[in-house]
Amino acid sequence: MENTSDKDKQVRSEVDRIDGLQLRERIPFGVPQSSSGVRFEIPGYFLRWIDDLGGRIEKAIEGWYQFVTKKEVGITDAINGDLGDRVSRVVGTNRQTGGGYRSYLMKLPNELREADKKILSDRRELRMNSIKQGLASPVDRNFYVPKDTPISISSKKP
């Protein structure tokens, strides 16, 4: 009969065989989790996964996002299937080509992220104010306003 210390040694030797694999935390297989969540951190940066579809990577680069490198987050090729230095993962099937597509981990300095959030907040406030005034005009030409049905908002409870 095998004792507990022999089992521990066997498990440990299996773990030691995975050369260069360094995980920050153990994530149990089969446990529900967000597929878009970012488990890595780089001080001073906001990180997000961006799909390589429909020009999204190009738009992110125009917004000054940068690719995260494997070295920056301490991972090896054992966990990341991309042959390059960029952190990526296969996330789905491209309906047009039938092949897979990747999502890349990208970073943006926190100062720029805060500036982006302020721009979005200001734009939302303009929209809400136009609705509250009964105008419901497209303040940025990016939302639909039906001509026959006015949009209004009320804080009164029915």
Side-chain angles (χ1 to χ4, degrees):
M1 186 174 212
E2 211 174 284
N3 66 32
T4 306
S5 63
D6 290 339
K7 285 183 181 178
D8 290 342
K9 287 178 186 175
Q10 182 181 0
V11 169
R12 184 69 219 152
S13 67
E14 290 293 325
V15 171
D16 290 340
R17 288 183 200 168
I18 305 172
D19 186 32
L21 182 63
Q22 297 176 353
L23 295 175
R24 295 180 183 267
E25 66 179 280
R26 180 178 178 274
I27 300 173
F29 182 74
V31 174
Q33 54 188 305
S34 169
S35 62
S36 62
V38 177
R39 298 179 313 157
F40 306 105
E41 289 184 17
I42 300 175
Y45 288 91
F46 168 74
L47 304 181
R48 73 181 284 184
W49 291 102
I50 300 179
D51 294 344
D52 189 10
L53 282 175
R56 297 194 76 215
I57 297 291
E58 291 79 5
K59 288 177 186 175
I61 291 170
E62 288 173 359
W64 293 11
Y65 275 84
Q66 301 168 345
F67 291 100
V68 173
T69 64
K70 295 173 189 176
K71 185 177 181 180
E72 288 179 289
V73 291
I75 65 171
T76 65
D77 285 336
I79 340 176
N80 186 35
D82 193 359
L83 297 177
D85 190 41
R86 297 172 176 167
V87 178
S88 71
R89 61 186 182 187
V90 176
V91 293
T93 304
N94 185 328
R95 293 180 183 181
Q96 293 175 340
T97 66
Y101 70 91
R102 291 190 164 276
S103 188
Y104 287 86
L105 188 59
M106 299 187 81
K107 65 183 180 180
L108 183 70
N110 285 336
E111 301 82 36
L112 293 177
R113 170 71 174 153
E114 291 305 315
D116 290 354
K117 286 170 57 176
K118 172 86 170 94
I119 290 168
L120 290 172
S121 174
D122 291 348
R123 186 170 290 166
R124 281 189 210 107
E125 188 175 334
L126 279 172
R127 282 185 180 175
M128 289 305 294
N129 285 339
S130 74
I131 292 171
K132 287 176 184 176
Q133 294 171 8
L135 303 175
S137 60
V139 294
D140 59 5
R141 305 167 119 198
N142 286 325
F143 81 23
Y144 171 73
V145 180
K147 292 182 179 182
D148 300 332
T149 310
I151 297 174
S152 64
I153 190 168
S154 173
S155 58
K156 296 178 184 178
K157 293 185 179 182

